[in-house]
Amino acid sequence: QVQLVESGGGLVQAGGSLRLSCAASGRTFSSYWMGWFRQAPGKEREFVAHISWHGGTTYYVDSVKGRFTISRDNAKSTVYLQMNSLKPEDTAVYSCAARRGGTTMSAQDYDYWGQGTQVTVSS
């Protein structure tokens, strides 16, 4: 069982930056692939990025490439999402998720979810 708690969301102006954190409980964090997803009002949940258990493999949705960076610190059981050059269209609830196994962008393939943190980007 893995419990995930996100933090770091907030209100920021367009062009600004935020860093989201997702702290995991349990001693097996290092064995999980971790992903970030987001859901804007009235829209479906969208894959943002994921990172392999060892941190050596990352993947991003095209709309955030070059602006967002996913990373992890297994010693702290935490995964991060650094978000730069934020745009109003990045406004959403951001959630982290964990799964054993390989790369996937499908939310249904993830086993554990955090409660989400709100990111609002004003124009």
Short mmCIF file of all heavy atoms in Angstrom, two decimals, residues 7-35:
data_model
loop_
_atom_site.label_atom_id
_atom_site.label_comp_id
_atom_site.label_asym_id
_atom_site.label_seq_id
_atom_site.Cartn_x
_atom_site.Cartn_y
_atom_site.Cartn_z
N SER A 7 1.72 18.56 -2.61
CA SER A 7 1.78 19.92 -2.07
C SER A 7 2.46 20.81 -3.10
O SER A 7 3.05 20.32 -4.07
CB SER A 7 2.56 19.95 -0.75
OG SER A 7 3.88 19.50 -0.93
N GLY A 8 2.36 22.12 -2.86
CA GLY A 8 3.07 23.06 -3.72
C GLY A 8 2.21 23.80 -4.72
O GLY A 8 2.71 24.68 -5.44
N GLY A 9 0.94 23.47 -4.80
CA GLY A 9 0.07 24.18 -5.72
C GLY A 9 -0.21 25.59 -5.24
O GLY A 9 0.16 25.99 -4.14
N GLY A 10 -0.86 26.36 -6.10
CA GLY A 10 -1.20 27.73 -5.72
C GLY A 10 -1.57 28.56 -6.92
O GLY A 10 -1.81 28.04 -8.01
N LEU A 11 -1.62 29.88 -6.69
CA LEU A 11 -1.95 30.84 -7.74
C LEU A 11 -0.68 31.53 -8.20
O LEU A 11 0.11 32.02 -7.39
CB LEU A 11 -2.94 31.87 -7.19
CG LEU A 11 -3.29 33.05 -8.10
CD1 LEU A 11 -4.01 32.57 -9.34
CD2 LEU A 11 -4.13 34.07 -7.33
N VAL A 12 -0.48 31.56 -9.51
CA VAL A 12 0.73 32.18 -10.08
C VAL A 12 0.35 32.89 -11.36
O VAL A 12 -0.60 32.49 -12.05
CB VAL A 12 1.81 31.10 -10.32
CG1 VAL A 12 1.35 30.09 -11.35
CG2 VAL A 12 3.14 31.72 -10.71
N GLN A 13 1.08 33.94 -11.68
CA GLN A 13 0.84 34.64 -12.94
C GLN A 13 1.45 33.89 -14.11
O GLN A 13 2.43 33.13 -13.93
CB GLN A 13 1.42 36.05 -12.87
CG GLN A 13 0.67 36.98 -11.93
CD GLN A 13 1.17 38.40 -12.03
OE1 GLN A 13 2.32 38.65 -12.36
NE2 GLN A 13 0.31 39.36 -11.70
N ALA A 14 0.91 34.12 -15.27
CA ALA A 14 1.47 33.50 -16.47
C ALA A 14 2.94 33.85 -16.59
O ALA A 14 3.35 34.99 -16.35
CB ALA A 14 0.71 33.98 -17.70
N GLY A 15 3.73 32.84 -16.96
CA GLY A 15 5.17 33.01 -17.04
C GLY A 15 5.91 32.64 -15.77
O GLY A 15 7.14 32.55 -15.77
N GLY A 16 5.18 32.45 -14.70
CA GLY A 16 5.78 32.10 -13.42
C GLY A 16 6.08 30.63 -13.29
O GLY A 16 5.91 29.85 -14.23
N SER A 17 6.52 30.26 -12.09
CA SER A 17 6.94 28.88 -11.82
C SER A 17 6.33 28.37 -10.52
O SER A 17 6.05 29.16 -9.60
CB SER A 17 8.46 28.80 -11.72
OG SER A 17 9.08 29.20 -12.92
N LEU A 18 6.16 27.08 -10.46
CA LEU A 18 5.78 26.38 -9.25
C LEU A 18 6.49 25.04 -9.23
O LEU A 18 6.78 24.48 -10.29
CB LEU A 18 4.26 26.13 -9.20
CG LEU A 18 3.32 27.28 -8.85
CD1 LEU A 18 1.87 26.84 -9.01
CD2 LEU A 18 3.56 27.79 -7.44
N ARG A 19 6.73 24.54 -8.03
CA ARG A 19 7.25 23.18 -7.90
C ARG A 19 6.29 22.38 -7.04
O ARG A 19 6.07 22.71 -5.86
CB ARG A 19 8.65 23.14 -7.28
CG ARG A 19 9.24 21.73 -7.34
CD ARG A 19 10.66 21.65 -6.87
NE ARG A 19 10.77 21.55 -5.41
CZ ARG A 19 11.80 20.99 -4.77
NH1 ARG A 19 12.79 20.48 -5.48
NH2 ARG A 19 11.83 20.95 -3.46
N LEU A 20 5.75 21.34 -7.63
CA LEU A 20 4.88 20.44 -6.90
C LEU A 20 5.71 19.31 -6.30
O LEU A 20 6.68 18.84 -6.90
CB LEU A 20 3.82 19.85 -7.83
CG LEU A 20 2.95 20.85 -8.60
CD1 LEU A 20 1.91 20.10 -9.42
CD2 LEU A 20 2.32 21.86 -7.69
N SER A 21 5.28 18.87 -5.13
CA SER A 21 5.90 17.73 -4.48
C SER A 21 4.85 16.67 -4.19
O SER A 21 3.68 16.99 -3.97
CB SER A 21 6.56 18.15 -3.15
OG SER A 21 7.56 19.10 -3.36
N CYS A 22 5.27 15.44 -4.19
CA CYS A 22 4.39 14.33 -3.87
C CYS A 22 5.16 13.40 -2.94
O CYS A 22 6.12 12.74 -3.38
CB CYS A 22 3.97 13.60 -5.14
SG CYS A 22 3.05 12.07 -4.86
N ALA A 23 4.76 13.39 -1.69
CA ALA A 23 5.44 12.57 -0.69
C ALA A 23 4.71 11.24 -0.55
O ALA A 23 3.49 11.20 -0.42
CB ALA A 23 5.46 13.30 0.64
N ALA A 24 5.48 10.17 -0.56
CA ALA A 24 4.91 8.83 -0.48
C ALA A 24 5.25 8.18 0.84
O ALA A 24 6.34 8.36 1.38
CB ALA A 24 5.45 7.98 -1.63
N SER A 25 4.30 7.41 1.33
CA SER A 25 4.55 6.59 2.52
C SER A 25 5.03 5.23 2.08
O SER A 25 4.93 4.87 0.90
CB SER A 25 3.28 6.45 3.34
OG SER A 25 2.32 5.70 2.60
N GLY A 26 5.52 4.45 2.98
CA GLY A 26 5.93 3.10 2.64
C GLY A 26 7.41 3.01 2.31
O GLY A 26 8.04 4.01 1.93
N ARG A 27 7.94 1.84 2.41
CA ARG A 27 9.38 1.64 2.22
C ARG A 27 9.73 1.14 0.83
O ARG A 27 10.87 0.87 0.56
CB ARG A 27 9.89 0.65 3.26
CG ARG A 27 9.81 1.17 4.68
CD ARG A 27 10.24 0.10 5.67
NE ARG A 27 9.24 -0.95 5.78
CZ ARG A 27 9.37 -1.99 6.57
NH1 ARG A 27 10.45 -2.13 7.31
NH2 ARG A 27 8.41 -2.90 6.62
N THR A 28 8.71 1.05 -0.06
CA THR A 28 8.97 0.52 -1.39
C THR A 28 8.82 1.57 -2.47
O THR A 28 8.66 1.24 -3.63
CB THR A 28 8.02 -0.66 -1.68
OG1 THR A 28 6.66 -0.20 -1.58
CG2 THR A 28 8.25 -1.80 -0.72
N PHE A 29 8.92 2.84 -2.08
CA PHE A 29 8.74 3.92 -3.06
C PHE A 29 9.67 3.74 -4.25
O PHE A 29 9.28 3.98 -5.39
CB PHE A 29 9.00 5.26 -2.38
CG PHE A 29 9.00 6.43 -3.32
CD1 PHE A 29 7.81 6.96 -3.78
CD2 PHE A 29 10.19 7.02 -3.74
CE1 PHE A 29 7.79 8.05 -4.65
CE2 PHE A 29 10.19 8.10 -4.61
CZ PHE A 29 8.98 8.62 -5.06
N SER A 30 10.88 3.33 -4.01
CA SER A 30 11.87 3.24 -5.08
C SER A 30 11.54 2.18 -6.11
O SER A 30 12.20 2.12 -7.16
CB SER A 30 13.26 2.99 -4.50
OG SER A 30 13.27 1.78 -3.78
N SER A 31 10.56 1.35 -5.85
CA SER A 31 10.20 0.32 -6.83
C SER A 31 9.06 0.74 -7.73
O SER A 31 8.66 -0.01 -8.62
CB SER A 31 9.84 -0.98 -6.11
OG SER A 31 8.67 -0.80 -5.32
N TYR A 32 8.52 1.95 -7.52
CA TYR A 32 7.35 2.41 -8.28
C TYR A 32 7.72 3.42 -9.35
O TYR A 32 8.55 4.30 -9.13
CB TYR A 32 6.33 3.06 -7.35
CG TYR A 32 5.56 2.09 -6.48
CD1 TYR A 32 6.07 1.69 -5.26
CD2 TYR A 32 4.36 1.58 -6.91
CE1 TYR A 32 5.38 0.80 -4.47
CE2 TYR A 32 3.65 0.69 -6.11
CZ TYR A 32 4.17 0.30 -4.89
OH TYR A 32 3.47 -0.58 -4.11
N TRP A 33 7.11 3.28 -10.51
CA TRP A 33 7.09 4.36 -11.47
C TRP A 33 6.09 5.41 -10.93
O TRP A 33 5.05 5.06 -10.39
CB TRP A 33 6.61 3.87 -12.83
CG TRP A 33 7.62 3.10 -13.59
CD1 TRP A 33 8.20 1.91 -13.25
CD2 TRP A 33 8.18 3.44 -14.87
NE1 TRP A 33 9.07 1.51 -14.21
CE2 TRP A 33 9.08 2.43 -15.23
CE3 TRP A 33 7.99 4.53 -15.74
CZ2 TRP A 33 9.81 2.46 -16.42
CZ3 TRP A 33 8.70 4.55 -16.92
CH2 TRP A 33 9.60 3.52 -17.26
N MET A 34 6.43 6.66 -11.15
CA MET A 34 5.58 7.74 -10.65
C MET A 34 5.13 8.62 -11.81
O MET A 34 5.90 8.92 -12.72
CB MET A 34 6.34 8.59 -9.64
CG MET A 34 6.79 7.82 -8.41
SD MET A 34 5.41 7.16 -7.44
CE MET A 34 4.58 8.67 -6.95
N GLY A 35 3.87 9.05 -11.73
CA GLY A 35 3.34 9.91 -12.78
C GLY A 35 2.63 11.12 -12.21
O GLY A 35 2.21 11.12 -11.04
#
